Amino acid sequence: MRMTKTLLTTFVSLGLLGSVGASQAAGWCESGKPVKFAGLNWESGMLLTDILQIVLDKGYDCKTDSLPGNSITMENALSSNDIQVFAEEWVGRSEVWKKAEKAGKVVGVGAPVVGAVEGWYVPRYVIEGDAKRKLEAKAPDLKSIADLSRYAMVFKDQEEPSKGRFYNCPAGWTCELDNSEMLKRYGLEGSYTNFRPGTGPALDAAVLSSYKRGEPILFYYWSPTPLMGQVELVKLDEKPGVDKTVTIKVGLSKTFHDEAPELVAVLEKANLPIDLLNQNLARMTRERIESPKLAKLFLKEHPEVWHAWVSEDAAKKIDAAL
């Protein structure tokens, strides 16, 4: 009898443990827990976030939300499970991410964007001139970041005329810290001001304004973005041996990764073909469409892309909702 009680207790315990595991596997949203996304503030990040929110909301009955903040703040929030999803994590370039990943607090999955690039750019007319616009080449021998030490006055900072101006990322973006280190590493800190626009749109405005006037401008930029399809740019070479291959993943809190496998399976498959993504980002700018509206249009117009991410049942529910 005692053995029978012991066995019953064991079976009950195993049953309970089994039900907890099943609940975790399929129950993140069923239990009422919201899936909180990082509220990213660049175009591709916004669009990808809105698309994934709709997919989880309409296809898997999840409550979703997004919390605004810069990328470093959001990466910290991800590591503490205050948010669960960082839709466009540029893996390997953030010390916050690296530390959290090493500590087992975050997990990167999938490949939402493939073929992304980043670097320091100048308009093509700065190097080659532009006969149609009657613009002379101001820096015909400029090929690399190391060459910039000879061309500070070409990119003169109007507020500090003894230096050139480098347009960095907005403060609080991961790339801002990386670029600031690069200024030091290339010995450019003394000859260029490290100018940080307040927002991504402010950086875009500075580039487009200079481009329209045919003026030289030196700036950090990346793709996928609408800007890359609007202007002709040259990416400056880095030192030999520097590998700036960009890997983008969907960043997840470890808690969410472990407790919501059904949803993780969706996020692992999510991918926006980069040419199609750039076209839609250009449309966002050209037609002045807000990201949430464009996300719905994208899902409606391109089922061939996202149907592959989701279950057949979820696909039907999303299609019906659109």
Side-chain angles (χ1 to χ4, degrees), residues 120-143 154-155 207 210-212 214-219 227-228 230-237:
W120 291 18
Y121 290 85
V122 299
R124 184 171 296 280
Y125 58 73
V126 171
I127 298 172
E128 300 177 6
D130 186 338
K132 289 182 180 178
R133 299 175 67 186
K134 298 181 180 178
L135 299 174
E136 293 183 5
K138 298 285 183 67
D141 298 320
L142 177 60
K143 293 182 175 62
V154 170
F155 304 101
V207 173
S210 294
Y211 197 91
K212 187 175 181 180
E215 295 175 351
I217 183 169
L218 168 67
F219 58 100
L227 184 75
M228 287 295 189
Q230 295 175 266
V231 294
E232 288 191 50
L233 305 174
V234 174
K235 182 174 178 288
L236 301 179
D237 295 335

Side-chain angles (χ1 to χ4, degrees), residues 195-228:
F195 185 83
R196 303 165 180 86
T199 62
L203 175 59
D204 289 358
V207 173
L208 291 171
S209 175
S210 294
Y211 197 91
K212 187 175 181 180
R213 296 194 302 267
E215 295 175 351
I217 183 169
L218 168 67
F219 58 100
Y220 166 87
Y221 219 76
W222 68 98
S223 173
T225 52
L227 184 75
M228 287 295 189

Side-chain angles (χ1 to χ4, degrees), residues 19-31 33-35 62 81 84 107 252-265:
S19 67
V20 170
S23 173
Q24 285 181 342
W28 182 281
C29 294
E30 288 88 337
S31 67
K33 288 189 286 188
V35 182
C62 296
N81 195 42
Q84 285 73 52
V107 180
L252 306 176
S253 72
K254 184 65 162 59
T255 301
F256 180 78
H257 176 269
D258 292 350
E259 295 183 8
E262 181 187 26
L263 305 180
V264 173

Side-chain angles (χ1 to χ4, degrees), residues 30-50:
E30 288 88 337
S31 67
K33 288 189 286 188
V35 182
K36 297 177 185 173
F37 283 74
L40 307 179
N41 59 354
W42 59 92
E43 290 96 337
S44 58
M46 286 189 286
L47 182 59
L48 183 57
T49 296
D50 288 326

